[in-house]
Amino acid sequence: MTAFFTLLGDATPDSRADDVLALESGLAKASATTVEQRDVDAMYNHYGLPELAKEFPKLDWDAYLQALSLSDVDGLVVSQPKFIRAALNHLISEPLE
C-alpha cells in the first residue's frame, strides 16, 4: 500500500497506508462473519424510513434514496446494521483526503 501512495506522489505514503489499513480493519471488525451471514433471520433487518433516520441519523436517507431514484421506497432491509454504523461513523469522523 505504501508503494501505491509513493507512486501517486503522496508526501506521506506510510501515514496514508496506515490510514487505509485502519479503515479497512475497522470495517472488517464491524462486518458479520461468514457464519453469521448464514443466519437469514439475523441478516433480515427491515427499517422503515423513520426507523432508518432514528437508527442511522448520520445519513440523510431521503437525499440518499432520491439520488438513487428510489424516492418512492418506504423502507430498506439492512443486512448488517453494525457495519453501516461503523462506516457512517468513520465517514463522519475522518477526513476524506
Side-chain angles (χ1 to χ4, degrees):
M1 186 66 65
T2 301
F4 173 76
F5 285 110
T6 300
L7 289 171
L8 288 175
D10 193 285
T12 57
D14 290 330
S15 176
R16 294 289 188 178
D18 289 344
D19 291 345
V20 170
L21 181 60
L23 167 64
E24 291 183 357
S25 296
L27 293 177
K29 287 177 187 174
S31 296
T33 66
T34 53
V35 172
E36 292 169 333
Q37 290 177 37
R38 292 183 197 139
D39 183 347
V40 176
D41 293 327
M43 292 286 106
Y44 187 85
N45 302 287
H46 184 270
Y47 293 89
L49 291 182
E51 293 171 302
L52 282 170
K54 181 180 175 189
E55 290 295 318
F56 311 100
K58 295 179 180 180
L59 182 64
D60 182 343
W61 289 97
D62 290 329
Y64 176 72
L65 293 171
Q66 285 180 353
L68 295 173
S69 299
L70 297 172
S71 56
D72 59 340
V73 171
D74 62 355
L76 295 174
V77 174
V78 178
S79 61
Q80 296 189 40
K82 183 179 171 186
F83 177 86
I84 297 296
R85 283 186 194 94
L88 290 173
N89 285 337
H90 190 79
L91 288 171
I92 298 300
S93 66
E94 298 295 327
L96 296 177
E97 306 176 337

